Every structure is written in structure tokens, then in C-alpha cells.
Amino acid sequence: MNFKDKFKPGDIICSDRFHNGLCMVVGCGNNEWGFRYKCEDLVKEGQRWLAYEFDTMFGKPYDWRIATDDDIAKYLSRFLDIP
């Protein structure tokens, strides 16, 4: 199943292979640029990413999935400074 068939704009996605669980929001509008899709970081304002379906360097898919509550909590915890 292709990326465009699995996700819609506004979905929060992540991949265990991409930046250790980075959470991204699938962008609106024309997302498809061949094999990559426009997304925005869940936390960092103005940080845009391209979600590639396939890692051409290592020859493996990125295995994108809908982020779970645990994925989102782990990602958010990277930005907390708890003494």
C-alpha cells in the first residue's frame, strides 16, 4: 500500500527508522512529489520535512505508520527539561 493510500492531510505519522521516531503532520494540498510527501514537524514551528516512502541509500522502506500516543509522548519528552 502506498503512502498516499494510507495517510491523509493532518495525520500524525512516524517511522522508527526516520530520526528515531520523529513525529510529523502530513501536509495539506498537493502532497505527492513522486515518492516524497510534504510534512511538518509536530513540535517545531516552521520545520518542514519530506517523508520518503523508500530509503534509497539502504534499500529499505521507511515503514511509516500512524503515531501512537506513546510515540507522541516520547517525541514531546525530547523538548522537556525536567530537573
Side-chain angles (χ1 to χ4, degrees), residues 38-70:
K38 294 184 283 184
C39 297
E40 292 197 25
D41 193 276
L42 180 63
V43 176
K44 297 177 186 175
E45 190 172 333
Q47 175 65 59
R48 290 179 175 78
W49 298 98
L50 291 175
Y52 289 83
E53 285 193 60
F54 199 76
D55 182 353
T56 55
M57 180 180 268
F58 297 105
K60 296 180 180 180
Y62 276 112
D63 296 329
W64 293 105
R65 58 184 166 76
I66 296 289
T68 64
D69 290 344
D70 286 341

Side-chain angles (χ1 to χ4, degrees), residues 1-71:
M1 184 179 282
N2 293 331
F3 187 98
K4 66 182 178 181
D5 299 325
K6 290 195 284 188
F7 309 114
K8 63 185 182 315
D11 284 345
I12 300 173
I13 62 171
C14 71
S15 166
D16 295 324
R17 294 195 63 235
F18 187 77
H19 289 301
N20 298 321
L22 170 82
C23 292
M24 305 187 305
V25 180
V26 177
C28 299
N30 184 15
N31 292 315
E32 190 173 348
W33 291 347
F35 55 91
R36 56 189 178 175
Y37 301 86
K38 294 184 283 184
C39 297
E40 292 197 25
D41 193 276
L42 180 63
V43 176
K44 297 177 186 175
E45 190 172 333
Q47 175 65 59
R48 290 179 175 78
W49 298 98
L50 291 175
Y52 289 83
E53 285 193 60
F54 199 76
D55 182 353
T56 55
M57 180 180 268
F58 297 105
K60 296 180 180 180
Y62 276 112
D63 296 329
W64 293 105
R65 58 184 166 76
I66 296 289
T68 64
D69 290 344
D70 286 341
D71 295 323

